[in-house]
């Protein structure tokens, strides 16, 4: 019989997105829906337009009691491309300006908000018998503990870590507020340096723990990348694996992209898009290489390194375009650099259409990330014919092969990698890019090769399927 999967995430494209988790939570269930009966669950944030997506009440409500408080939860739903979405609505969880808070600070009651989300997920297990519960990141990690506590539900639990930098760490008093017994305040469970760590619940109580690339799965066992959880992850290493993300090949297809002025399927077709973007931002220089950065302005994405390197890059014969939003200090430093250099264009904000236009116009995509669990931008860059320039970490190692080893008949995408996170290394690889850009024929050949590669979810969906099927320990 076809297995029933409940897939839970705190953000899903196109309903709500702050980063790659939303893309994954959109694309992976779509890739799985032919093999499994998939239902996806997320919060019904205030920003979601119910009418636009035909989201309607399911006529089911329940009250969740946590720490002496009662929270009313209403269920909403819609169906997209043959699978169901369930939305959890409760004012404390959903009626906020942002999903989690500002880039500087999460909401003070995030522990309660997402514990409530986790309780609501387990309520869904009472309404229908699911075989698999797939939880993502710290926001729904507590559901693994709740399933473990209540032997009435017995789905197999898969827990996926998208980013160890966000673990959901709260003061120990949170236990009382979310109705979790003090017995769980131990090193083997939720305790973390005198605080409570929600991610530990996912790791401790799930049947399988995955993260989003094989290299990151190894890195997080080290002090450098483990964010304090390396020892705990080591302990649970026998159930930890890395499955690389993919991108949705329909959503990220330059041939069928409404955001583009001129859809295309090979290098030649990028020219119109590049001309258009340069004109829009008031730049000249179709024959100069265009370097782009799209992403969150946070230290993870290598902003310190980028800000240090940009003034030197700007002296080269090139144009640079940056799109993103994030921490205020980076906004200020980036504005200063962009004001001083006529060939740097900076856009603040989250803009899906503009991001696609940038991928389509760019010759190179910069990803100087300090750490990168997987990264989707480099794969989007491949699909749109921009050559990734990446720091050799995490999923970037698994998805971007060194251009120096280029082979026409391989199925790998190629780019430029640098190993040490210094301004000198980044600048040297950028200069390499400028030289490569002048070698027009080779550049075009590599770009066309990358554009033909398959970065879809096909293989990784099968890998998740194998985990779903694996005998429960
Ligand atoms: P992360 O999840 O760490 O932010 P990923 O590389 O996994 O990084 O995914 C980032 C996703 O968000 C990509 O789809 C990228 O294009 C998109 N994105 C990031 N910043 C912006 C922005 N300012 N405007 C539009 N899209 C953005
Ligand atoms: C995280 C990571 C990113 C990954 C994304 C989706 O936000 O920072 O590397 O691609 O999750 O898994």
């Amino acid at each position: 019989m076809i297995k029933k999967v409940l897939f839970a995430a705190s953000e899903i494209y196109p309903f709500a997105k702050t980063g790659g988790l939303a893309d994954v939570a959109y694309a992976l269930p779509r890739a799985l829906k032919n093999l499994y009966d998939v239902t996806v669950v997320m919060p019904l944030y205030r920003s979601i337009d119910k009418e636009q997506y035909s989201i309607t009440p399911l006529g089911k409500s329940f009250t969740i009691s946590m720490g002496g408080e009662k929270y009313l939860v209403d269920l909403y739903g819609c169906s997209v491309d043959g699978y169901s979405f369930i939305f959890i609505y409760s004012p404390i969880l959903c009626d906020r300006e942002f999903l989690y808070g500002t880039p500087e600070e999460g909401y003070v009651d995030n522990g309660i908000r997402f514990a409530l989300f986790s309780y609501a997920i387990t309520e869904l297990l009472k309404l229908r018998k699911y075989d698999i519960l797939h939880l993502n990141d710290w926001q729904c990690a507590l559901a693994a503990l709740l399933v473990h506590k209540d032997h009435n539900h017995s789905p197999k639990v898969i827990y996926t870590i998208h980013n160890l930098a966000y673990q959901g760490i709260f003061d120990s008093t949170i236990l009382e507020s979310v109705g979790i017994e003090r017995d769980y305040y131990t090193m083997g469970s939720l305790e973390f340096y005198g605080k409570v760590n929600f991610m530990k619940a996912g790791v401790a109580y799930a049947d399988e723990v995955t993260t989003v690339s094989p290299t990151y799965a190894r890195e997080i066992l080290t002090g450098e990348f483990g964010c304090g959880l390396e020892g705990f992850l080591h302990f649970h290493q026998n159930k930890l694996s890395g499955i690389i993300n993919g991108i949705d090949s329909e959503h990220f297809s330059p041939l069928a992209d409404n955001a583009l002025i001129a859809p295309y399927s090979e290098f030649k077709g990028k020219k119109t898009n590049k001309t258009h973007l340069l004109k829009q931002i008031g730049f000249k220089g179709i024959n100069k290489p265009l370097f782009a950065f799209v992403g969150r302005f946070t230290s993870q994405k290598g902003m310190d390194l980028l800000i240090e390197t940009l003034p030197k890059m700007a002296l080269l014969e090139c144009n640079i375009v940056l799109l993103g939003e994030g921490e205020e200090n980076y906004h200020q430093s980036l504005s200063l650099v962009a004001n001083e250099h006529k060939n740097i264009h900076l856009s603040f904000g989250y803009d899906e259409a503009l991001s696609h236009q940038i991928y389509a116009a760019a010759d190179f995509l910069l990803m100087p990330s300090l750490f990168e669990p997987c990264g989707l931008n480099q794969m989007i860059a491949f699909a749109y014919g921009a050559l990734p320039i990446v720091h050799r970490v995490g999923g970037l190692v698994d998805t971007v092969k060194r251009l120096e080893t280029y082979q026409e008949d391989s199925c790998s995408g190629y780019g430029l990698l640098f190993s040490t996170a210094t301004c000198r290394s980044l600048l040297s690889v950028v200069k390499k890019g400028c030289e490569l850009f002048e070698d027009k024929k080779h550049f075009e050949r590599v770009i066309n090769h990358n554009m033909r590669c398959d970065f879809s979810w096909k293989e990784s969906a099968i890998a998740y399927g194998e985990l779903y099927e694996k005998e429960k320990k």
Side-chain angles (χ1 to χ4, degrees):
M1 236 212 348
I2 186 157
K3 289 200 167 125
K4 296 184 191 66
V5 178
L6 182 61
F7 186 98
S10 58
E11 55 181 88
I12 305 176
Y13 178 85
F15 308 109
K17 169 170 166 177
T18 68
L21 168 62
D23 289 318
V24 172
Y26 163 76
L28 176 57
R30 274 167 72 90
L32 288 166
K33 76 178 163 62
N34 295 330
L35 307 167
Y36 294 94
D37 176 353
V38 186
T39 302
V40 184
V41 56
M42 69 173 288
L44 184 60
Y45 299 110
R46 186 170 71 186
S47 54
I48 300 174
D49 184 339
K50 293 204 277 292
E51 238 171 67
Q52 184 185 352
Y53 300 112
S54 309
I55 298 171
T56 52
L58 292 178
K60 290 199 174 66
S61 303
F62 41 83
T63 302
I64 289 171
S65 303
M66 275 191 329
E69 296 283 330
K70 286 190 179 352
Y71 301 89
L72 182 67
V73 170
D74 298 313
L75 298 186
Y76 286 72
C78 74
S79 168
V80 180
D81 295 341
Y83 65 111
S84 311
F85 283 82
I86 297 179
F87 295 89
I88 307 289
Y89 176 75
S90 185
I92 186 174
L93 174 63
C94 304
D95 291 344
R96 298 287 158 105
E97 186 181 354
F98 303 104
L99 270 52
Y100 317 119
T102 63
E104 276 77 27
E105 227 177 359
Y107 290 124
V108 285
D109 56 354
N110 272 350
I112 294 176
R113 294 175 68 218
F114 289 98
L116 182 63
F117 181 45
S118 295
Y119 274 95
I121 292 168
T122 56
E123 285 296 315
L124 299 183
L125 302 176
K126 295 179 191 158
L127 299 178
R128 192 175 184 223
K129 192 170 166 19
Y130 290 95
D131 304 288
I132 313 286
L133 174 63
H134 191 157
L135 304 167
N136 292 274
D137 268 352
W138 72 265
Q139 292 90 342
C140 40
L142 222 49
L145 184 151
L146 300 173
V147 169
H148 168 85
K149 266 176 62 171
D150 182 347
H151 298 291
N152 292 325
H153 324 297
S154 56
K156 180 171 179 179
V157 179
I158 313 288
Y159 179 60
T160 299
I161 299 171
H162 293 262
N163 196 338
L164 215 60
Y166 306 96
Q167 297 177 13
I169 298 170
F170 305 99
D171 196 88
S172 64
T173 53
I174 190 78
L175 284 181
E176 208 179 323
S177 320
V178 302
I180 303 282
E181 296 77 5
R182 215 61 200 174
D183 303 357
Y184 289 94
Y185 191 57
T186 60
M187 269 167 72
S189 189
L190 299 183
E191 193 274 338
F192 185 71
Y193 298 104
K195 301 212 168 211
V196 163
N197 183 323
F198 279 16
M199 187 171 264
K200 284 186 76 182
V203 175
Y205 300 108
D207 297 294
E208 298 289 340
V209 179
T210 70
T211 186
V212 288
S213 70
T215 297
Y216 193 60
R218 285 190 296 276
E219 286 175 345
I220 57 179
L221 299 176
T222 67
E224 189 183 354
F225 295 98
C227 303
L229 274 192
E230 57 278 7
F232 192 65
L233 289 164
H234 242 293
F235 184 76
H236 291 286
Q237 196 179 358
N238 62 340
K239 59 176 177 181
L240 173 69
S241 61
I243 300 178
I244 197 82
N245 286 335
I247 52 171
D248 186 273
S249 31
E250 275 172 42
H251 181 59
F252 293 112
S253 161
L255 194 57
D257 191 333
N258 293 331
L260 305 186
I261 178 150
Y264 62 100
S265 60
E266 53 181 2
F267 176 75
K268 276 201 277 270
K270 284 176 68 82
K271 196 169 175 188
T272 317
N273 291 291
K274 183 172 173 184
T275 312
H276 183 72
L277 184 83
L278 290 177
K279 195 168 159 208
Q280 253 182 329
I281 61 179
F283 277 14
K284 289 207 175 74
I286 183 78
N287 293 322
K288 288 185 204 169
L290 176 62
F291 291 86
F293 175 93
V294 175
R296 293 181 289 118
F297 294 150
T298 60
S299 72
Q300 176 193 344
K301 299 293 172 185
M303 288 323 289
D304 296 289
L305 181 56
L306 191 63
I307 289 165
E308 189 189 345
T309 313
L310 278 171
K312 298 188 178 72
M313 269 184 77
L315 302 177
L316 305 172
E317 272 297 299
C318 71
N319 283 313
I320 302 163
V321 43
L322 311 156
L323 166 65
E325 60 184 358
E327 292 159 28
E328 189 49 44
N329 59 322
Y330 291 129
H331 282 224
Q332 286 175 11
S333 321
L334 283 168
S335 302
L336 278 177
V337 181
N339 286 340
E340 276 172 19
H341 299 277
K342 287 202 177 71
N343 53 349
I344 301 183
H345 183 270
L346 175 61
S347 285
F348 288 124
Y350 181 88
D351 189 332
E352 190 77 28
L354 179 58
S355 74
H356 287 220
Q357 289 154 13
I358 291 176
Y359 290 118
D363 300 297
F364 297 94
L365 183 86
L366 298 163
M367 290 187 80
S369 310
L370 283 187
F371 66 95
E372 196 60 82
C374 179
L376 303 175
N377 297 25
Q378 76 280 16
M379 294 188 260
I380 305 172
F382 283 139
Y384 282 71
L387 197 91
I389 294 185
V390 306
H391 185 209
R392 194 192 292 269
V393 283
L396 299 174
V397 176
D398 298 324
T399 49
V400 184
K401 293 279 163 283
R402 287 173 58 225
L403 186 59
E404 292 80 356
T405 62
Y406 178 72
Q407 280 180 326
E408 189 74 52
D409 57 356
S410 100
C411 323
S412 306
Y414 290 93
L416 298 171
L417 290 99
F418 63 102
S419 301
T420 39
T422 59
C423 172
R424 199 164 155 210
S425 307
L426 174 56
L427 193 65
S428 118
V429 86
V430 162
K431 284 182 181 159
K432 241 191 229 172
C434 291
E435 282 163 25
L436 177 70
F437 184 76
E438 290 311 316
D439 187 354
K440 297 269 183 271
K441 278 216 172 101
H442 185 48
F443 188 64
E444 180 168 352
R445 194 178 313 125
V446 175
I447 295 294
N448 281 335
H449 168 91
N450 286 348
M451 287 183 75
R452 282 193 300 270
C453 292
D454 181 6
F455 294 98
S456 74
W457 272 97
K458 224 169 22 201
E459 279 183 30
S460 296
I462 293 172
Y464 277 106
E466 282 167 4
L467 274 192
Y468 290 177
E469 297 301 328
K470 211 165 142 186
E471 202 65 36
K472 209 174 147 174
K473 283 171 198 139

